[in-house]
Structures are given as structure tokens and as C-alpha cells.
């Protein structure tokens, strides 16, 4: 019996076919290895995370301090309390012009009811009529009625403005004036101020004679804050005015 013969003509028995198959298998294995990333490639390809995905630090907010706690820790600030400044005065030996003083003083607030104006030893003096009847005796031709006279002074506002504002105004206008006295009787009471320049300047902290209407320093530093501001006007009034 004869041995079977291998058909070398079949394609898979050819050596070069086997060689091609080996190359294909080798190529596939290499492709698989390339598809599997190494540890280094994995670490490089993975997105970077802050601090290796450690949880972010949570900032703890301290509870808000109460006003009492803040007051304990905060430095104590001194309140801006007005300080009396002693202003050095130079006593003038130059006499005040009486005519100029009388002319100026006859135009101050409440001038209609002024009884007399005088200057002696550089001290000015202004007296108001004490009653409507006294006023009519000194001004018999006046058309002002009693009700108008009483209404003018009745609220007390004009009395304050005269004693506070006009005393300072006269000391500002006449630098040689050493003091001013104003007496205003009304409704059974006598309101009076006897104000010297030194006391006024020390109260204000500056020299009243340094103010001027031209640069509005009179308005800004005295007229607005002391004549027209009710609170400061009352403070000035209580400091220097006497009521009998």
C-alpha cells in the first residue's frame, strides 16, 4: 500500500504563506501592547489633579463678633470734644471812633427798639427800650403797634440773635473795642450780656477780629454756626447771657 502524498500545491503548505501568517500574528501582538498604556503613560495621560485629589481646604469662617466684643478689641478713640484755646490778646490803646461805632450799631438787629448807644474807655454799651410805652415815649411818631413790638421779642429768638450775634459782630467790626455790653428788658425780665474780647476769643478758639464778610469767614465760622444754628446759639447764650 503506498503512502499518501502531501499536496504541496495547496496554498497553506507553502512556506511563504506561513511566514506571512507569523508576521501578522507578531503585528497583532505588538498592536495590543501599544494599546495597553504603561504606568508612566497612564500617569501622563490622566488629567492633573491638585494635590493628588486631596480635598480642598475648607476655610472656616469665624462667627461674627458682637458689638460688645468688637468694642473690647477695638482701640478706643477719643471723641472730638471742643477744647477751649487760650488766645493771647494785645490790649489796644487806640480809642474807638465813637461816631463810627454809633453809626454802625444803629443798624444792628433790633435797631428799631434801641434806646441808647455809647462808647466809654473802649467799651461799647447798647440799651434797648424796656417796654412798648417807653418806646412810644422816645418815638412818638412811630407807627409800630404794641402787638408788633411784643411779637418781635415774644418768641425769644430775636433776643438771642441780638445778644449772641450783635455782640460778636461789634467786637469783630471794631478791633480796638475791648468789650461790649447789651441790655434788653422784655416782659418783666432783663436779658444782658457783658462780653469782653478775651472771653469771646477763648470760647471760640480764634480771634473774632480775624473774620471778614469779604471772604465769608464771618459767615462760615461764626454767623452760620452760632447765630443761625439753634443748638450752638443756645450754648453761647447760656454761657454769656444773664437773665434777671
Amino acid at each position: 500500500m503506498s503512502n499518501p502524498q502531501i499536496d504541496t500545491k495547496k496554498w497553506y503548505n507553502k512556506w511563504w504563506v506561513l511566514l506571512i501568517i507569523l508576521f501578522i500574528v507578531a503585528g497583532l501582538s505588538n498592536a495590543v501592547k501599544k494599546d495597553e498604556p504603561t504606568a508612566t503613560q497612564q500617569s501622563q495621560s490622566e488629567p492633573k489633579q491638585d494635590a493628588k485629589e486631596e480635598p480642598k481646604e475648607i476655610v472656616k469662617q469665624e462667627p461674627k463678633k458682637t458689638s460688645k466684643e468688637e468694642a473690647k478689641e477695638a482701640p478706643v478713640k477719643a471723641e472730638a470734644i471742643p477744647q477751649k484755646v487760650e488766645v493771647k490778646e494785645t490790649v489796644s490803646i487806640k480809642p474807638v471812633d465813637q461816631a463810627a461805632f454809633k453809626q454802625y450799631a444803629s443798624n444792628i438787629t433790633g435797631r428799631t427798639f434801641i434806646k441808647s448807644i455809647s462808647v466809654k474807655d473802649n467799651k461799647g454799651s447798647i440799651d434797648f427800650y424796656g417796654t412798648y410805652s417807653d418806646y412810644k415815649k422816645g418815638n412818638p411818631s412811630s407807627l409800630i403797634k404794641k402787638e408788633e413790638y411784643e411779637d418781635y421779642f415774644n418768641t425769644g429768638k430775636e433776643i438771642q440773635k441780638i445778644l449772641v450775634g450783635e455782640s460778636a459782630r461789634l467786637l469783630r467790626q471794631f478791633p480796638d473795642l475791648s468789650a461790649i455790653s447789651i441790655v434788653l428788658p422784655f416782659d418783666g425780665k432783663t436779658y444782658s450780656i457783658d462780653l469782653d474780647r478775651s472771653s469771646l476769643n477763648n470760647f471760640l478758639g480764634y480771634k473774632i477780629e480775624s473774620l471778614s464778610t469779604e471772604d465769608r469767614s464771618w459767615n462760615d465760622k461764626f454767623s452760620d454756626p452760632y447765630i443761625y444754628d439753634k443748638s450752638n446759639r443756645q450754648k453761647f447764650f447760656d454761657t454769656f447771657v444773664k437773665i434777671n
Side-chain angles (χ1 to χ4, degrees):
M1 186 174 182
S2 60
N3 293 328
Q5 297 292 325
I6 298 173
D7 189 0
T8 57
K9 293 182 179 181
K10 291 186 177 181
W11 63 270
Y12 51 79
N13 288 329
K14 296 182 179 181
W15 65 269
W16 54 269
V17 174
L18 294 175
L19 184 60
I20 292 174
I21 293 172
L22 290 174
F23 277 121
I24 293 173
V25 172
L28 290 173
S29 63
N30 289 333
V32 172
K33 289 181 179 181
K34 288 181 179 180
D35 291 338
E36 293 178 359
T38 61
T40 305
Q41 290 174 334
Q42 286 180 343
S43 62
Q44 292 177 349
S45 61
E46 289 178 355
K48 293 183 179 181
Q49 297 178 352
D50 295 336
K52 297 182 181 179
E53 294 187 349
E54 291 181 358
K56 294 182 179 179
E57 182 181 357
I58 300 175
V59 180
K60 295 182 179 180
Q61 295 183 349
E62 296 182 0
K64 292 183 178 180
K65 296 179 182 179
T66 61
S67 57
K68 292 183 179 179
E69 291 174 339
E70 289 178 348
K72 290 180 180 179
E73 293 184 5
V76 179
K77 294 182 179 180
E79 294 182 0
I81 301 174
Q83 300 293 328
K84 289 187 178 181
V85 180
E86 186 175 354
V87 180
K88 293 183 180 180
E89 300 292 338
T90 302
V91 179
S92 176
I93 58 175
K94 182 181 177 180
V96 176
D97 187 326
Q98 292 197 25
F101 179 81
K102 288 181 179 180
Q103 182 180 3
Y104 189 88
S106 62
N107 289 289
I108 65 173
T109 302
R111 55 187 174 274
T112 303
F113 304 110
I114 291 177
K115 183 177 182 179
S116 64
I117 300 172
S118 63
V119 180
K120 185 178 181 181
D121 298 329
N122 282 8
K123 179 180 179 179
S125 180
I126 299 175
D127 293 324
F128 282 77
Y129 287 104
T131 62
Y132 177 76
S133 59
D134 287 343
Y135 166 72
K136 283 296 290 182
K137 287 179 183 178
N139 301 272
S141 60
S142 174
L143 298 177
I144 295 177
K145 298 179 180 180
K146 184 178 181 180
E147 291 78 9
E148 294 173 326
Y149 166 80
E150 292 177 346
D151 289 343
Y152 186 77
F153 292 114
N154 202 32
T155 62
K157 183 178 179 180
E158 294 304 321
I159 294 176
Q160 285 192 345
K161 284 185 176 181
I162 291 169
L163 297 175
V164 172
E166 301 309 327
S167 58
R169 190 193 307 273
L170 290 166
L171 288 170
R172 182 215 71 197
Q173 185 68 21
F174 297 94
D176 298 318
L177 197 68
S178 61
I180 180 68
S181 172
I182 301 177
V183 179
L184 197 163
F186 179 73
D187 196 24
K189 297 179 181 178
T190 300
Y191 302 85
S192 63
I193 186 170
D194 194 352
L195 184 63
D196 64 86
R197 183 178 300 277
S198 179
S199 297
L200 174 59
N201 289 347
N202 287 331
F203 174 82
L204 297 174
Y206 58 82
K207 292 186 177 182
I208 191 69
E209 60 269 25
S210 68
L211 305 185
S212 172
T213 56
E214 295 180 359
D215 61 4
R216 291 192 58 83
S217 56
W218 163 256
N219 301 76
D220 296 337
K221 298 188 71 173
F222 188 87
S223 180
D224 291 344
Y226 285 103
I227 299 177
Y228 296 104
D229 182 87
K230 184 178 180 180
S231 177
N232 286 331
R233 184 176 69 233
Q234 186 67 51
K235 188 184 298 183
F236 190 106
F237 185 87
D238 294 339
T239 302
F240 295 110
V241 175
K242 294 180 180 179
I243 304 174
N244 297 318

